[in-house]
Amino acid sequence: MIYKGSAWKFGRDIDTDAIIPARYLKTSDPAELGKHCMEDADPEFINRAKKGDVIVAGENFGCGSSREHAPISIKAVGISCVIAKSFARIFYRNAINTGLPILESAEAVDGITTSDEIQVDTDKGEITNLTTGKVYYAKPFPGFINDIIQQGGLINYMREKVKMQVD
Amino acid sequence: MGMTVTEKILAAHAGKNSVSPGDLINVKLDLVLGNDITAPIAIKEFRLIGIDRIFDKNKIVIVLDHFAPNKDIDSAEQCRMVRQFAHKQDLTNYFEVGRMGIEHALLPEQGLVLPGDAIIGADSHTCTYGALGAFSTGVGSTDLAAAMATGEAWIKVPSSIKFSFRGHLNPWVTGKDLILYTIGQIGVDGALYQAMEFTGEAISSLSVDSRLSMCNMAIEAGGKSGIIAPDNKTLDYVEGRSSRTFNVYQSDDDAQYAAVYEWDVANIEPQVAFPHLPSNTRGISEVGDVVIDQVVIGSCTNGRLEDLRIAAQVLKDHEVDRRIRCIIIPATQDIYRQAMKEGLIEIFIDAKAAVSTPTCGPCLGGHMGVLARGERALATTNRNFIGRMGHPESEVYLSGPAVAAASAIAGKITSPEEL
Ligand code: SF4
């Protein structure tokens, strides 16, 4: 997939309470969760982020809780993918399992500032900063993880497996 | 080549003789956990997979603890949906209000987690059970859904870091202080994707309650799991709690570690983590003047009997400062009852603390002690992120129960030595 959008840059250790505060976890409705995405990190984000935009962050993005509400709220805003220097491990799993594209590249993060126009080719792991013209490459995913991503998440992947067994 | 305790457990559950860090394996699970926040999404996803029944009604645990007893209509609806699923699937280990406790205190207590187990839970603090010598890690709701269907999960075998604690503990220092110190040293991503193995004579000297507090916060260093190889204390603890058989694994002498840290606990005093990261730690003597509005003693980190005993020891014959709200939450019904029998609850009430039924409540800013703008709390919980306990402009400091109780009396962050 190829995505294009503006970059929203955040620092390191953006935790799940910053992505979606626990006070909103009394629902799992994506639209409702999307309304509060990144609220405590940048109250303006939710008013100004556009469909296709890209979140760019430092180390340990998504640390903290296991709440899948975090990638769900990011997807609900229409964010196309998250690029970070590194991801906290449960967030990493959750993103893969829910089909939110994520890419790890410290160079890309250092080379992108807020509002830069970014193009991401998730199949190749290629990140292009259209504003500066620079190109970066993210670490590829291991094979079996790639299968899950290709199927659009773990549930689709499993549904296909179950169907195959029934057939 | 030798293996770590974590590698041995994972190999055994993947049907392999050995595994190495980085291997992607499919693990057969002994237990799968969800709660009132993570189970609703998992149940929706489970229904999408296209099968009706869960893999084993004895191996799926659901605990309603975060916003229960329900804090409002939305959380009541969430709990109702989970409840209906649990009853329909006839789950043996579904814990309703009145039987429930905070999940990570409840499962060990009920004998549901045992040494050598492989466990996932849709809650980041599932790493707690490593204290009994199990491999246990937090996952998201989709992983929970998949595991409810198959009893399996994909795991990337983590490399291990060894933390060796030498020497004798200083007064008032518990597992909470050791883990806060550790996180302060290595940072909130210092063990990213890795297993944190705690060893050494100081760890052997810790009670099981204290070990559970320690492994509980492995996630706060980015760890995939925390683990303490079982010893006699572990075996004494699990005895009589379960009739299930289990395996005891130990790390080989020639096991490989990504890093080894060795600390003398004589140099570790009670710790306090400043806002807004658990790694922002200082020894109690370095804290300075920090006036607080609220103290919370509880949570899956420090709501166990040992914690309540320590809090009572400090609070006895004292009163909470008039400007402070001190909220004490026994983590399970059994702990509550035992605290009552031992007279701890009476000490708390005499000290003018509020004692609550088990719930996560204030730990995640849910209910039972939410902070207003500009307020400051000292809590025995595990996270002090921005807005964690309420208003985004409130602050949370973290400590063990001794410092928390002393601070409630003094109205500012204080060592129990200073009372
Ligand atoms: S007590 Fe706090 S950290 Fe522990 S499970 Fe509950 S909300 Fe999570």
Side-chain angles (χ1 to χ4, degrees), chain A residues 84-159:
Chain A
K85 290 192 177 177
S86 65
F87 291 91
R89 60 159 288 278
I90 304 182
F91 185 89
Y92 179 94
R93 280 189 88 95
N94 287 347
I96 290 165
N97 286 342
T98 56
L100 169 69
I102 52 171
L103 296 101
E104 246 177 33
S105 167
E107 296 76 31
V109 172
D110 287 334
I112 296 173
T113 43
T114 291
S115 304
D116 283 357
E117 280 302 304
I118 307 296
Q119 179 175 304
V120 177
D121 181 334
T122 48
D123 295 338
K124 291 196 211 148
E126 189 181 86
I127 302 161
T128 310
N129 186 337
L130 298 171
T131 306
T132 65
K134 288 236 168 65
V135 181
Y136 309 93
Y137 288 91
K139 277 192 235 160
F141 287 108
F144 151 73
I145 306 271
N146 228 350
D147 295 347
I148 296 179
I149 296 171
Q150 296 294 338
Q151 302 262 13
L154 185 63
I155 295 301
N156 285 346
Y157 175 84
M158 290 194 57
R159 191 159 50 188

Side-chain angles (χ1 to χ4, degrees), chain B residues 244-416:
Chain B
R244 189 155 60 85
T245 55
F246 59 88
N247 294 304
V248 171
Y249 298 97
Q250 307 281 344
S251 294
D252 293 324
D253 290 338
D254 59 343
Q256 302 283 312
Y257 293 93
V260 176
Y261 295 89
E262 199 179 319
W263 291 309
D264 188 336
V265 296
N267 302 320
I268 301 177
E269 54 171 341
Q271 302 285 302
V272 176
F274 279 50
H276 291 283
L277 284 177
S279 54
N280 218 350
T281 54
R282 296 189 200 170
I284 184 72
S285 62
E286 312 281 310
V287 166
D289 254 353
V290 182
V291 177
I292 48 175
D293 304 287
Q294 176 167 297
V295 166
V296 175
I297 299 174
S299 86
C300 61
T301 319
N302 284 121
R304 298 185 183 79
L305 198 56
E306 173 181 278
D307 305 310
L308 301 187
R309 285 180 183 150
I310 294 171
Q313 191 185 339
V314 176
L315 285 168
K316 191 168 172 31
D317 301 327
H318 286 281
E319 269 192 19
V320 170
D321 185 280
R322 287 186 71 85
R323 290 163 300 143
I324 305 279
R325 297 96 64 177
C326 178
I327 300 161
I328 303 182
I329 308 180
T332 69
Q333 292 284 75
D334 277 4
I335 295 169
Y336 202 141
R337 180 182 15 231
Q338 189 59 32
M340 223 157 57
K341 278 192 190 152
E342 293 183 16
L344 311 183
I345 304 287
E346 194 165 353
I347 292 173
F348 297 151
I349 292 173
D350 284 347
K352 308 288 188 281
V355 184
S356 151
T357 189
T359 179
C360 294
C363 172
L364 77 165
H367 57 151
M368 294 294 302
V370 175
L371 299 176
R373 180 200 301 264
E375 285 191 327
R376 204 181 265 154
L378 175 64
T380 66
T381 55
N382 45 44
R383 290 195 174 132
N384 54 352
F385 299 149
I386 291 172
R388 175 70 180 180
M389 199 171 270
H391 195 279
E393 286 164 40
S394 62
E395 289 183 345
V396 180
Y397 290 67
L398 306 174
S399 77
V403 169
S407 306
I409 298 164
K412 62 185 182 97
I413 300 183
T414 302
S415 163

Side-chain angles (χ1 to χ4, degrees), chain B residues 212-244:
Chain B
L212 288 160
S213 309
M214 244 186 125
C215 290
N216 175 269
M217 289 187 71
I219 179 73
E220 266 64 65
K224 181 171 210 146
S225 55
I227 195 159
I228 296 171
D231 61 8
N232 284 338
K233 279 190 191 163
T234 322
L235 300 179
D236 285 348
Y237 179 90
V238 297
E239 189 177 310
R241 290 178 200 264
S242 170
S243 54
R244 189 155 60 85

